Amino acid sequence: MSSGPGAPGKAAGSPLPAGRKRDSGRAPAHPIIKDIGEIHSRLLDHRPVIQGEIRYFIKEFEEKRGLREMRVLENLNTMVYETNDQILPKCEQVMHDDLNEALKRLQAANHRILRLRQREQEERELQTDTLMAGEKQRLAHWEMFMKDQHNKRAEVDEEHRKAMERLKEQYAEMDKDLAKFSSF
């Protein structure tokens, strides 16, 4: 059988290139698997590319930045230690002193307010007692006034009754005198 136009040097129906013979002991797919593995590693395995990018990034980071971030971090670390060791205790002490002073002032103000409330309470009690005494005195005066008014009314009524009797007697005498003069 002759070879076709697209496969020079191959035997008809044989997938192997010319010059290769089929081994009966070897697997015929071994070279294909090897080629597929190479294609797969070139197309789909990105580890070598990624490792190269990582090495490039580290190199650029170290060279261009020149440990600037390290100095910034060391400065921050120093600042944090200074804050923790010096500034924070000072702030705590100042806050403690100020809070103690504020507490003392509040206690003194509270004591003064309590004294003021006590004085006000005493004054209210005194005023209440004074008002109650005044009320009792007014009631006593009122009762005396009402008794006095009753007595005066009784006196006025008695005087009025006496005056009416005198007037009746006077009019009775005048009627008698008038009767004497009219009978003439």
Side-chain angles (χ1 to χ4, degrees):
M1 296 203 220
S2 69
S3 61
K10 285 188 180 179
S14 172
L16 296 174
R20 279 196 182 175
K21 293 182 182 175
R22 190 181 280 200
D23 287 338
S24 61
R26 281 180 111 178
H30 181 66
I32 294 173
I33 293 173
K34 185 178 177 185
D35 289 342
I36 289 174
E38 285 181 28
I39 291 171
H40 176 269
S41 68
R42 286 183 181 175
L43 292 177
L44 302 176
D45 189 12
H46 300 295
R47 281 180 279 170
V49 174
I50 291 173
Q51 288 175 352
E53 288 294 321
I54 290 172
R55 277 190 236 109
Y56 176 74
F57 177 77
I58 291 171
K59 181 181 172 187
E60 287 293 315
F61 187 80
E62 288 176 352
E63 287 177 2
K64 288 189 177 177
R65 302 208 178 205
L67 302 176
R68 182 175 18 162
E69 282 77 16
M70 186 64 107
R71 284 192 301 268
V72 169
L73 289 175
E74 286 175 1
N75 289 341
L76 285 173
N77 194 21
T78 305
M79 191 181 338
V80 167
Y81 280 123
E82 286 176 4
T83 302
N84 284 338
D85 294 340
Q86 297 171 1
I87 296 172
L88 187 61
K90 286 179 185 176
C91 288
E92 286 177 350
Q93 184 62 38
V94 168
M95 184 178 66
H96 183 67
D97 293 343
D98 288 348
L99 286 177
N100 279 338
E101 185 176 333
L103 180 64
K104 288 177 185 176
R105 286 182 181 178
L106 284 174
Q107 287 172 344
N110 191 23
H111 183 67
R112 279 187 238 134
I113 288 172
L114 288 175
R115 281 191 289 152
L116 277 172
R117 286 177 87 194
Q118 188 177 15
R119 285 182 193 160
E120 286 178 359
Q121 183 68 26
E122 290 171 358
E123 287 178 12
R124 271 193 231 128
E125 289 174 2
L126 183 62
Q127 286 177 352
T128 303
D129 292 344
T130 305
L131 289 174
M132 293 297 283
E135 183 71 22
K136 287 179 183 177
Q137 191 176 18
R138 278 191 292 279
L139 284 173
H141 284 294
W142 181 255
E143 287 177 11
M144 287 176 51
F145 174 76
M146 290 305 287
K147 285 179 183 177
D148 192 36
Q149 288 299 316
H150 183 68
N151 291 338
K152 286 182 180 179
R153 189 179 93 200
E155 287 176 11
V156 167
D157 285 346
E158 184 62 31
E159 285 180 24
H160 183 273
R161 188 183 59 75
K162 287 180 182 178
M164 289 292 286
E165 282 180 20
R166 276 187 299 217
L167 282 174
K168 279 183 186 179
E169 287 175 7
Q170 185 179 6
Y171 280 122
E173 282 181 25
M174 287 171 84
D175 274 344
K176 285 182 191 177
D177 285 341
L178 188 61
K180 281 187 200 177
F181 289 117
S182 57
S183 53
F184 289 112

